[in-house]
Amino acid sequence: MSAHRRKTSRRRPSPRRIGRTLLITGCALTVMAGGTAWYLYRDLASSIGSSKALEGAERSAHGDLNILLIGLDSRRDQNGDPLPEAVLDQLHAGSSDIGGYNANTMILLHVPGDGSRAKAFSIPRDDFVDLSGVPGHGKDKIKKAYGLAKAAKEDQLTAQGVNDRRRLEHEGREAGRKAQIDTVRSFLGVPVDHFAELNLAGFYHLADALDGVPVCLRKPVKDKYSGADFPAGRQTLDGKESLAFVRQRHGLEMGDLDRTKRQQAFLAGATQKLNSAGTFTDPAKLLKLIDTAKQDVVTDAGWDLLAFVKQAKNLSGGKVQFTTLPVEGFGRNHGEDINVVDDMKIKRLIAEQIGPQATASPSAPGAASSDSSAPSPPPPSPSSSPAASPPAPPSSGERPGTIDGGGIPCVD
């Protein structure tokens, strides 16, 4: 054999060497992929807005999780600066001075530690409750706890000579979050383990990050106030359309109560899209979602989001049951429309649905008895401020309902 032929043969890799090379390359790529995922998670964990509003709060037992989702009706970013005019135009939401800091969306998501079906409870924003998180205020619409506490904290700091706008905004919002969580915890009678706060632009950015959210309408709708203009049937909404979808209440038979169903439907559609679109395995989509979280989301400090995201992948496929908390009737308080609710009835419903193991102990703030024989308080009387109207007829009143969280629920 010539020297040239020997040199050529030495250059030809053996099948064993090829296999070893591919194995090493595969391992390297796996390590790189894992490192990228870890970097992305660390980047998210260090950049997402984190809050201390839950420090020292009571937690659920047996691995259960109660997560409060808060949607703020605010046209401002996390620093209190107005959203850009171009964004406001897309949101069809008016100027940055509208909306204040009301918690217009409140959903308590209960994730059982045993892996059984999760349950989500929508709290109508106009429920007339004791704002226990705002000392000395008394009863009002539940959505107001955030804004009232924020304003009170800012006034307190200003009186102390603080004039740094960023500090006022930050500490004001922390007070607002704590007040809203405390009020919900007291109203429902259960612990809150984690929370996620999303501003108005968050619905817009989330839908865009997912390349649209699927929804289904039973009939066509058109509303000039929210900008909703959709045909009947299944459809995928972009960011602007998604915001109009979750904000619409005009033209709906039950107004705000029907809007809570829209919010549930959006959440179900977003969860389905999140899991079906390969978001967790597509770096580009994952980065887009992380950027959205940085802009619009605030969570409690110390929440292991990576662990929850893995768990959240199992919240589709019909594994979430949605319920809108019942309203007994409607009334007026200082010229505003309110929902008259039975506090003890709500607490019993939550205790029955979630189970006693997740209910706050009687010695804890916001605890409630699960004794079904406890008397129900009467609706507010004129002497107690609001003038309660007669309860709505059963045919028109809101009743707890179930939506298939894994499919695409059809709503009015």
Side-chain angles (χ1 to χ4, degrees), residues 111-122:
V111 184
D114 62 6
S116 59
R117 194 179 192 191
K119 297 179 180 179
F121 303 90
S122 288

Side-chain angles (χ1 to χ4, degrees), residues 173-184:
R173 287 205 179 192
E174 281 288 84
R177 291 167 189 137
K178 187 176 187 309
Q180 196 67 56
I181 293 167
D182 287 349
T183 296
V184 170

Side-chain angles (χ1 to χ4, degrees), residues 298-372:
V298 175
T299 68
D300 54 290
W303 187 4
D304 188 344
L305 289 175
L306 182 60
F308 179 71
V309 162
K310 291 178 180 178
Q311 188 176 21
K313 293 176 71 175
N314 298 320
L315 296 182
S316 62
K319 293 186 179 180
V320 180
Q321 173 183 311
F322 288 91
T323 299
T324 300
L325 296 182
V327 169
E328 303 302 309
F330 306 97
R332 301 278 291 176
N333 179 52
H334 299 306
E336 295 182 330
D337 293 328
I338 61 167
N339 298 332
V340 179
V341 296
D342 183 333
D343 294 44
M344 293 306 297
K345 181 178 179 180
I346 296 292
K347 288 179 172 67
R348 288 196 298 269
L349 183 151
I350 295 294
E352 290 166 1
Q353 291 287 319
I354 290 180
Q357 74 276 7
T359 305
S361 61
S363 60
S369 169
S370 59
D371 181 7
S372 61

Side-chain angles (χ1 to χ4, degrees), residues 72-142:
L72 285 186
D73 189 27
S74 174
R75 280 72 167 166
R76 295 178 178 271
D77 63 18
Q78 293 183 24
N79 296 317
D81 296 323
L83 295 173
E85 288 297 327
V87 174
L88 288 173
D89 289 343
Q90 287 292 312
L91 301 185
H92 204 276
S95 75
S96 59
D97 295 326
I98 299 174
Y101 288 89
N102 288 328
N104 275 2
T105 302
M106 287 162 284
I107 299 176
L108 184 79
L109 176 64
H110 174 71
V111 184
D114 62 6
S116 59
R117 194 179 192 191
K119 297 179 180 179
F121 303 90
S122 288
I123 307 169
R125 64 176 187 167
D126 290 339
D127 282 4
F128 191 70
V129 306
D130 181 17
L131 298 191
S132 55
V134 188
H137 187 76
K139 300 191 77 170
D140 211 327
K141 294 183 179 184
I142 194 169

Side-chain angles (χ1 to χ4, degrees), residues 1 3 35 44 59 64 68 100 108 132 168 202 209 215 267 276 294-296 298 315-317 336 357 392:
M1 181 181 292
L44 172 62
R59 301 304 170 109
D64 290 0
L68 181 61
L108 184 79
S132 55
L168 290 171
V215 302
L267 184 60
S276 65
K294 289 179 185 179
Q295 290 181 74
D296 307 311
V298 175
L315 296 182
S316 62
E336 295 182 330
Q357 74 276 7

Side-chain angles (χ1 to χ4, degrees), residues 238-258:
D238 62 19
K240 180 180 179 180
E241 293 166 337
S242 293
L243 186 63
F245 176 79
V246 298
R247 290 182 64 236
Q248 185 186 1
R249 61 188 174 94
H250 296 281
L252 302 180
E253 183 180 355
M254 295 299 295
D256 264 348
L257 298 182
D258 278 340

